[in-house]
């Protein structure tokens, strides 16, 4: 149980340990969508009512980042899985639940304890090269991801019979204005209304009523689709992983949580907020796979996925127009919240790195650079989508490929930061979490390699895929043993534990006061390997994309 200290003692501690927060707007009371918590509120929450009230005030970051990840790209991936393979790939979602929680929970601790955004921490602890590398990657990937969000908006408008050009422009204005009010609470309420809109997927599933026993069986019992090429199935599994765990999530949730002014005292409640968000994203994904499988079962279109517009039309042919309209509205809702979250992730990162005002508590006149980056990204994506002749399909493929390549590096930085005791102090990772996260990194690297190879060499055979998985798995096991031995050696060398006092009151000192980051020789080696892989893979992918453009595809 968290130990609470008197207000006078807490104030004295705060004076001794100045905050690392870069924007003064990130300090003060918590003004959530459904409640307020005073900055000096350290009262214990002993009753159920008090705990629920606190949870309502804290809720937001986890819900928004998770439901925002069920965006236009997720709609395409999950409905493709259902239309092409029925419910046989539902088990992948079960495996992703602990991965989602562990990754985003580490982000929660980083945000609440440090008060500094993800990109800024990478700059401070790993140097300018990796900092610039991570921010440049994020900027490029998020800009392209935004294009897919507006493609989703365009497809939804087309099915609803609304003008696409003016509809996309209107959506861009709505997303921009919703963020630009200078009132954090107003934006959070807007975003949580969109989170509620994601529940439209449930009545669609009820109308198409996929068999519940089959859903339950395929969710808990892994199996591969019968007769399907392993290479095609593996690519779709990788797409499911990539659309469920995206690099922008790490940057968004950490900065948004800081902007909401959540401190270590409320990490426990933010974990519950994250769990609620994960529950919603998994329910939505299961619903999409389930009702897509039911809509196309026994039809000629089964196994021949096109896009979300084709899914809407297939639902209409199967059970009528109402569920298809609900699907289009859900796609529109998901694309809007995805566009807002992805744009904010980039604007927060740029503001954090350049130490300029970057907060939703500030009006546009008080944070011009922050809002200019946000609005510029939205305008860029909307303009591309409404431009005639733009190769939107190629852009979508580029986004999926680039996300797959960059995903492992984002998780590696996250793991290293959460083992940095100068950064997290008493909140740093323990051995069990490191072992689990290390295994996640290994799997993500393997999936990234398979994805890169399959894009560069579409004719890659099943033997190569199995060889990559087997060889990579053995390498990952060997690496885990080496890391374990190295960590034990370091633990013996630094047996004396630091005294941090009450964890609920401990926050990272200013960045300039931190001791220099110390990476082990093993960590530096694998950082260099990762750097080389990313440069090589990105270069090859760029060459492949230029080839496709030159050939007119």
């Amino acid at each position: 149980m968290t130990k609470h200290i008197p207000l006078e003692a807490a104030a004295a501690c705060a004076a001794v340990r100045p905050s690392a927060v870069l924007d003064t707007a990130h300090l003060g009371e918590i003004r959530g969508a459904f409640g307020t918590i005073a900055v000096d509120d350290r009262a214990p929450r002993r009753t159920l009512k008090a705990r629920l009230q606190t949870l309502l005030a804290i809720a937001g970051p986890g819900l928004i980042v998770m439901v925002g990840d069920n965006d236009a790209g997720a709609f395409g991936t999950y409905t493709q899985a259902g239309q092409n393979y029925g419910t046989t790939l539902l088990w992948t979602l079960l495996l992703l639940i602990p991965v989602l929680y562990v990754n985003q929970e580490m982000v929660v601790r980083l945000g609440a304890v440090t008060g500094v955004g993800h990109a800024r921490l990478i700059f401070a602890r790993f140097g300018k090269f990796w900092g610039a590398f991570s921010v440049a990657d994020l900027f490029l990937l998020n800009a392209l991801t935004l294009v897919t969000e507006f493609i989703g908006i365009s497809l939804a408008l087309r099915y609803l019979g609304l003008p696409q050009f003016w509809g996309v422009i209107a959506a861009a204005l709505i997303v921009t204005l919703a963020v630009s009010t200078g009132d954090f609470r107003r934006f959070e309420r807007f975003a949580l209304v969109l989170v509620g809109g994601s529940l439209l997927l449930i009545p669609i599933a009820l109308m198409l009523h996929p068999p519940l026993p089959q859903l339950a069986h395929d969710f808990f019992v892994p199996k591969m689709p019968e007769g399907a090429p392993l290479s095609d199935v593996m690519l779709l599994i990788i797409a499911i992983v990539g659309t469920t765990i995206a690099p922008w999530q790490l940057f968004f949730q950490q900065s948004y949580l800081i902007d909401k002014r959540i401190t270590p005292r409320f990490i426990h409640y933010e974990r519950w907020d994250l769990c609620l968000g994960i529950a919603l994203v998994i329910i939505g994904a299961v619903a999409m796979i389930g009702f897509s499988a039911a809509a196309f079962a026994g039809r000629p279109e089964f196994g021949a996925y096109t896009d979300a517009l084709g899914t809407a039309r297939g639902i209409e042919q199967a059970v009528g127009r109402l569920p298809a309209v609900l699907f289009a509205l859900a796609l529109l809702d998901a694309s809007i919240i995805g566009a807002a979250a992805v744009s904010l992730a980039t604007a927060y990162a740029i503001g954090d790195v350049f130490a300029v005002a970057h907060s939703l508590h500030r009006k546009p006149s008080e944070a011009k650079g922050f809002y200019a980056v946000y609005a510029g990204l939205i305008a860029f994506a909307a303009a591309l989508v409404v431009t005639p002749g733009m190769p939107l399909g190629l852009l979508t493929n580029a986004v999926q490929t680039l996300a797959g390549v960059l995903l492992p590096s984002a998780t590696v930085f996250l793991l290293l930061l959460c083992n940095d005791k100068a950064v997290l102090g008493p909140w740093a990772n323990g051995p069990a979490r490191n072992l689990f996260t290390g295994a996640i990194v290994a799997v993500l690297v393997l999936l990234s390699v398979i994805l890169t190879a399959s894009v560069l060499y579409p004719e890659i055979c099943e033997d190569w895929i199995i060889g990559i998985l087997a060889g990579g798995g053995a390498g990952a096991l060997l690496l885990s043993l080496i890391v374990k031995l190295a960590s034990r050696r370091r633990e013996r060398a630094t047996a004396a534990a630091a005294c941090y006092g009450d964890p609920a009151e401990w926050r990272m000192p200013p960045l300039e006061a931190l001791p220099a980051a110390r990476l082990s020789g093993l960590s530096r080696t694998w950082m260099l390997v990762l750097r080389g892989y990313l440069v090589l893979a990105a270069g090859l992918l760029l060459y492949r994309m230029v080839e496709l453009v030159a050939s007119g595809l």
Side-chain angles (χ1 to χ4, degrees):
M1 184 173 180
T2 302
K3 177 183 176 183
H4 296 275
I5 61 177
L7 181 58
E8 295 79 4
C13 290
V16 174
R17 296 191 305 269
S19 173
V21 172
L22 298 176
D23 190 325
T24 55
H26 296 160
L27 299 171
E29 66 179 7
I30 297 172
R31 299 185 70 249
F34 305 119
T36 300
I37 300 177
V39 67
D40 58 349
D41 181 358
R42 286 172 170 77
R45 272 71 175 171
R46 293 194 175 94
T47 66
L48 179 60
K49 179 181 178 181
R51 291 170 182 168
L52 288 176
Q53 287 176 334
T54 303
L55 178 60
L56 285 173
I58 296 296
L63 284 167
I64 295 170
V65 73
M66 286 291 100
V67 176
D69 197 45
N70 257 2
D71 57 359
F75 268 61
T77 301
Y78 296 139
T79 55
Q80 180 181 357
Q83 181 174 342
N84 286 0
Y85 303 116
T87 58
T88 54
L89 294 181
L90 276 174
W91 56 271
T92 58
L93 300 175
L94 176 65
L95 297 182
L96 287 175
I97 292 174
V99 178
L100 278 171
Y101 178 79
V102 169
N103 269 16
Q104 295 303 133
E105 192 277 338
M106 286 193 287
V107 173
V108 167
R109 281 183 282 129
L110 278 175
V113 174
T114 68
V116 176
H118 205 68
R120 183 69 177 185
L121 283 178
I122 294 174
F123 261 98
R125 305 307 286 168
F126 305 113
K128 293 181 179 179
F129 174 85
W130 280 111
F133 197 86
S134 64
V135 172
D137 289 345
L138 180 75
F139 193 90
L140 174 62
L141 182 58
N142 284 4
L144 294 175
T145 302
L146 269 175
V147 176
T148 67
E149 307 297 359
F150 280 95
I151 292 173
I153 291 172
S154 177
L155 292 175
L157 293 171
R158 187 187 306 178
Y159 180 79
L160 295 171
L162 299 173
Q164 295 176 63
F165 180 88
W166 294 112
V168 168
I169 299 301
L173 289 174
I174 290 171
V175 174
T176 302
L177 292 174
V179 168
S180 307
T181 64
D183 188 322
F184 182 95
R185 171 175 284 172
R186 190 173 299 161
F187 168 77
E188 186 161 271
R189 286 175 174 171
F190 167 79
L192 290 180
V193 168
L194 295 177
V195 168
S198 69
L199 298 176
L200 287 172
L201 295 169
I202 296 176
I204 301 172
L206 294 176
M207 293 178 192
L208 284 148
H209 49 80
L212 291 180
Q214 185 69 39
L215 288 178
H217 177 271
D218 289 345
F219 187 75
F220 290 104
V221 181
K223 67 176 180 178
M224 301 296 278
E226 295 181 4
L230 179 60
S231 57
D232 292 347
V233 177
M234 282 301 303
L235 288 181
L236 188 55
I237 291 175
I238 293 168
I240 291 173
V241 173
T243 198
T244 309
I245 310 168
W248 68 263
Q249 292 175 278
L250 311 180
F251 291 83
F252 172 80
Q253 188 177 9
Q254 185 166 333
S255 291
Y256 187 83
L257 184 145
I258 293 167
D259 205 5
K260 191 164 181 175
R261 303 163 175 169
I262 293 175
T263 63
R265 286 181 288 135
F266 301 106
I267 285 179
H268 175 70
Y269 292 95
E270 184 50 43
R271 286 169 175 160
W272 278 106
D273 174 42
L274 175 61
C275 289
L276 291 173
I278 292 173
L280 283 181
V281 80
I282 296 299
I283 289 171
V286 169
M288 282 189 273
I289 293 176
F291 66 63
S292 297
F296 291 96
R299 299 176 63 86
E301 298 86 356
F302 185 83
Y305 178 81
T306 53
D307 54 27
L309 181 61
T311 301
R313 290 170 176 166
I315 292 173
E316 180 178 355
Q317 292 175 3
V319 292
R321 184 164 173 79
L322 177 58
V325 169
L326 293 178
F327 176 79
L329 292 174
L331 173 59
L332 185 63
D333 175 272
S335 300
I336 290 175
I337 190 173
V342 171
S343 299
L344 270 176
T346 312
Y348 275 134
I350 297 299
D352 214 46
V353 167
F354 292 100
V356 297
H358 54 292
S359 172
L360 294 177
H361 293 283
R362 295 186 181 276
K363 297 178 181 179
S365 60
E366 301 170 332
K368 295 177 182 178
F370 171 70
Y371 287 105
V373 170
Y374 179 87
L377 284 171
I378 295 292
F380 165 79
L384 279 184
V385 171
V386 299
T387 300
M390 188 61 59
L392 299 179
L394 181 60
L395 286 174
T396 301
N397 291 336
V399 170
Q400 293 173 340
T401 305
L402 192 57
V405 169
L406 298 179
L407 187 57
S409 66
T411 307
V412 166
F413 283 126
L414 177 62
L415 181 59
L416 291 174
L417 285 172
C418 285
N419 277 278
D420 192 338
K421 289 191 177 294
V423 170
L424 279 185
W427 297 95
N429 277 5
R433 191 179 298 272
N434 282 335
L435 193 60
F436 182 77
T437 311
I440 291 174
V441 171
V443 171
L444 293 178
V445 169
L446 289 178
L447 294 179
S448 174
V449 171
I450 292 172
L451 178 59
T452 305
S454 64
V455 171
L456 296 173
Y457 308 103
E459 69 281 1
I460 188 171
C461 64
E462 297 180 3
D463 291 341
W464 272 99
I465 293 177
I466 294 174
I468 291 173
L469 291 173
L477 179 60
L478 178 61
L479 176 61
S480 298
L481 293 174
I482 294 173
V483 170
K484 185 65 177 177
L485 291 174
S487 63
R488 281 185 177 178
R489 190 176 300 130
R490 287 195 301 272
E491 287 170 6
R492 294 192 197 101
T494 58
C499 181
Y500 296 107
D502 183 3
E505 299 297 333
W506 194 92
R507 301 201 77 182
M508 184 184 78
L511 290 171
E512 60 272 13
L514 296 182
R518 294 182 179 179
L519 292 176
S520 67
L522 182 65
S523 296
R524 292 183 183 277
T525 300
W526 282 105
M527 289 277 283
L528 290 172
V529 171
L530 180 62
R531 177 190 299 185
Y533 164 71
L534 290 175
V535 171
L536 177 62
L540 290 174
L541 288 171
L542 178 61
Y543 175 76
R544 177 64 174 164
M545 292 302 166
V546 171
E547 272 192 335
L548 290 174
V549 172
S551 63
L553 294 179

